[in-house]
Amino acid sequence: MSTGCLMIHDIVVIGGGPAGMMAACAAAENGGRTVLLEPNERLGKKLNITGKGRCNVTNSCGLEEFLQNVPRGGRFLYSAFARFGSGDVMDFFEGLGVPLKTERGNRVFPVSDRAFDISCALEKYLRRLEVEIVRDRAQALLFRDGRLRGVKGQQADYEAACVIVATGGVSYPLTGSTGDGYRLARSAGHTIIEPAGSLVPLCAAGELCSRLQGLSLRNAAVRVYENDKKIYSDFGEMLFTHFGVSGPMILSASAHMRSFGKKRYRLEVDLKPALDEAALDRRLLSDFARYANSDFINAFSDLLPRKLIEPFVELTGVEPRLKVHDLKKEQRRRVLTLLKALPVEIAGPRPVEEAIVTSGGVAVREVNPSTMESKIMPGLYFAGEVLDADAYTGGFNLQIAWSTGHLAGTAAARAAQAGL
């Protein structure tokens, strides 16, 4: 219950994740008396597990390429990225004493490979800026005479000219992403696009994936089909699991599958993407000539991972003990087709709680892209995953948090000082 104690600030930031911490930093840098509300004992709890604990801080590609990696909300985010882009983020953290490095795919990590160094640097900077960090959960927005006046917490009420909602989505709920921001936004009149998992592992129909459980493919390609229409393709790493498929390439592919229950999705895995069909056929002729007197099932040891051979042979429909020299042309053609397009029928996504980010949230048409301020309720701002905007893996989602947080904090501080 609220104690009734009233604390007066310029800005209240709700949420101590990456977007909230950046928003509080920017607000304080611009002269705003700022309080940051976070119920967890530590700030950045979800941030500390990103990138398998290494924290993929951002991606060092250019603005246009960045936008190409944001399938949902890219146009809305243009101003935020342009004003505080990946280069600015890198300068920011290195200025806080966290050296960074750039790896394959322009992915940026701390040199230490420790996500904790990022969250620790942010917390130290917040304290240096004299941001008040309070362990409290926001229960409601406070309104008076139809205007926003602050936040009601479990421990106290916080009166302020501006409120920034940066509570995250609903993925990884044990880190505090419980959907509180959606409830707060609705109370101010905002539309919430139904949250769903994005960058989420996929469940597969049939037994193929469970039989291949634990098999990792490092240089494969995948094509995604929606009702037999190709909608996406990618190259990289994937993992077969007891429920279906996962890995970086699959997580990015999942961002394009937004109509489960209404549309059917299928993957085709290219096991030999470096070879076109003609080159692969020549490779098959060479391998089959070498194994001409062997059983068909024993002719793939140079071509496929051991775990994949038996299920693959079953899919070809060829008798496993058929001698390779008896193989017919159409049977070889079936082998070729499967190598270039191993089918995986997708039954649906894993639960949203297992998603890296949440797709859906506050409708961006109701938010000013130049300030992150609500178009419905003056003084209310949004930042990070609570917004209906999400991107592929590779540091792009954290950049959304940094960019929108920085823009919201800066704009809120200026509005508070101008008296709204």
Side-chain angles (χ1 to χ4, degrees), residues 42-96:
R42 290 203 59 84
L43 299 179
K45 191 171 182 179
K46 185 176 178 181
L47 179 64
N48 287 335
I49 64 173
T50 62
K52 298 180 180 178
R54 298 176 62 215
C55 188
N56 188 177
V57 178
T58 185
N59 192 289
S60 64
C61 67
L63 177 58
E64 291 304 319
E65 185 178 346
F66 223 104
L67 293 171
Q68 292 171 11
N69 283 276
V70 184
R72 194 175 183 96
R75 180 176 297 180
F76 167 77
L77 293 167
Y78 185 92
S79 291
F81 286 154
R83 296 184 189 187
F84 194 70
S86 59
D88 301 304
V89 168
M90 295 171 70
D91 289 344
F92 175 83
F93 283 109
E94 293 197 318
L96 295 183

Side-chain angles (χ1 to χ4, degrees), residues 103-334:
E103 297 186 356
R104 181 176 56 86
N106 296 317
R107 289 169 164 85
V108 178
F109 294 89
V111 170
S112 65
D113 286 329
R114 284 164 41 94
F116 179 76
D117 289 352
I118 296 293
S119 60
C120 184
L122 281 167
E123 185 165 356
K124 287 180 180 178
Y125 189 46
L126 288 167
R127 297 190 186 282
R128 195 159 79 235
L129 291 168
E130 299 184 348
V131 171
E132 187 175 356
I133 300 171
V134 179
R135 308 302 174 191
D136 199 356
R137 180 181 293 278
Q139 292 185 313
L141 298 177
L142 294 173
F143 302 97
R144 188 164 59 245
D145 300 326
R147 293 180 63 84
L148 180 67
R149 293 303 181 193
V151 176
K152 174 180 285 295
Q154 290 179 332
Q155 308 302 324
D157 292 346
Y158 307 86
E159 186 169 301
C162 299
V163 174
I164 302 172
V165 177
T167 52
V170 290
S171 58
Y172 292 115
L174 293 179
T175 66
S177 298
T178 57
D180 286 354
Y182 305 145
R183 175 176 50 80
L184 298 174
R186 280 195 185 98
S187 73
H190 276 278
T191 303
I192 303 300
I193 307 303
E194 185 64 29
S198 185
L199 305 187
V200 63
L202 298 170
C203 298
E207 299 180 354
L208 175 64
C209 293
S210 60
R211 291 179 65 187
L212 298 176
Q213 178 181 350
L215 175 63
S216 176
L217 302 179
R218 297 184 62 84
N219 295 297
V222 69
R223 296 180 292 275
V224 180
Y225 290 85
E226 181 182 81
N227 290 349
D228 296 322
K229 177 184 177 182
K230 188 171 80 169
I231 59 171
Y232 180 72
S233 61
D234 198 5
F235 173 86
E237 299 178 23
M238 65 176 291
L239 173 70
F240 291 96
T241 73
H242 67 284
F243 57 77
V245 285
S246 187
M249 182 169 60
I250 298 301
L251 297 179
S252 289
S254 74
H256 295 267
M257 302 179 190
R258 300 185 181 274
S259 301
F260 284 109
K262 298 178 182 178
K263 298 180 179 179
R264 182 172 58 87
Y265 292 97
R266 181 181 87 256
L267 304 181
E268 287 183 355
V269 181
D270 186 343
L271 298 168
K272 298 294 174 183
L275 301 175
D276 61 22
E277 286 198 6
L280 183 56
D281 196 32
R282 289 193 295 271
R283 166 70 188 273
L284 283 176
L285 286 169
S286 174
D287 279 17
F288 288 168
R290 187 162 59 253
Y291 290 98
N293 296 317
S294 300
D295 292 344
F296 179 68
I297 197 169
N298 295 325
F300 294 92
S301 58
D302 299 331
L303 197 64
L304 294 174
R306 181 179 299 178
K307 198 166 193 174
L308 181 54
I309 292 175
E310 185 175 336
F312 182 89
V313 167
E314 289 178 14
L315 287 171
T316 68
V318 177
E319 166 56 44
R321 298 303 168 188
L322 179 76
K323 296 301 180 183
V324 172
H325 58 68
D326 290 330
L327 197 66
K328 294 182 173 59
K329 183 177 180 180
E330 58 267 25
Q331 291 174 317
R332 190 182 83 245
R333 183 69 194 176
R334 173 65 174 160

